[in-house]
Amino acid sequence: QVQLVESGGGLAQPGGSLRLSCAASGFTFRRYAMAWYRQAPGKECEFVASVTSAGGTTNYADSVKGRFTISKDNAQNTVYLQMNSLKPEDTAVYYCKLGSEYRGSRCSGVGYWGQGTQVTVSS
C-alpha cells in the first residue's frame, strides 16, 4: 500500500530554517510527481511546491518562492522541502502528497497523503 511519512517539522525562529522529509513506499516513486501542501488553522489547504517525477522541474507558490526548495531523490524514495527565511505565516501542518494536483479545501483528503508534520515559526 502507498505510504508517505513526513518528518522534520518543529519550532523555528523567524528567519530560521527547517528541512522536511517525506519517505515514500508502496509505489514506483520515480514515476510520480510529488508535492508539498500545508494547512494552517482556519485556512484552506494551500499548495506549497511540486516536483516532476524525475526531479527536473519544480513549481512553487508565490508565497514561498525564493525561500523554499523542493527536491526529489528517486534513489532514496524521498522528497524534501528545504525551508529557509521562515516567517510566522509559514506556520502550518505540512503534508506530502503523491501527485501535484489537488482541488480540495482540506489537506489529507482524496488522494495519497502523509500524516503531516507541524511547523511552527515563532519568536
Side-chain angles (χ1 to χ4, degrees):
Q1 67 279 2
V2 172
Q3 188 170 22
L4 302 170
V5 181
E6 301 101 331
S7 61
L11 177 65
Q13 300 241 70
S17 297
L18 288 172
R19 182 177 173 87
L20 306 184
S21 299
C22 173
S25 61
F27 64 101
T28 306
F29 183 76
R30 70 180 185 275
R31 295 183 180 179
Y32 288 86
M34 300 292 294
W36 288 94
Y37 288 78
R38 67 187 182 186
Q39 189 158 33
K43 297 185 178 180
E44 294 188 341
C45 184
E46 178 187 14
F47 170 80
V48 176
S50 65
V51 59
T52 52
S53 57
T57 302
T58 57
N59 288 286
Y60 299 92
D62 288 342
S63 59
V64 307
K65 196 170 297 181
R67 300 187 299 120
F68 290 10
T69 303
I70 188 171
S71 60
K72 188 170 189 276
D73 187 340
N74 284 330
Q76 294 292 321
N77 283 12
T78 303
V79 62
Y80 302 94
L81 185 68
Q82 177 67 46
M83 305 186 294
N84 298 326
S85 302
L86 284 163
K87 304 175 180 180
E89 51 261 46
D90 295 320
T91 296
V93 177
Y94 284 71
Y95 296 90
C96 175
K97 180 186 180 297
L98 193 163
S100 61
E101 297 185 22
Y102 183 65
R103 297 171 185 83
S105 61
R106 296 198 171 275
C107 294
S108 196
V110 175
Y112 294 104
W113 300 78
Q115 83 284 357
T117 186
Q118 176 72 49
V119 171
T120 302
V121 183
S122 176
S123 59

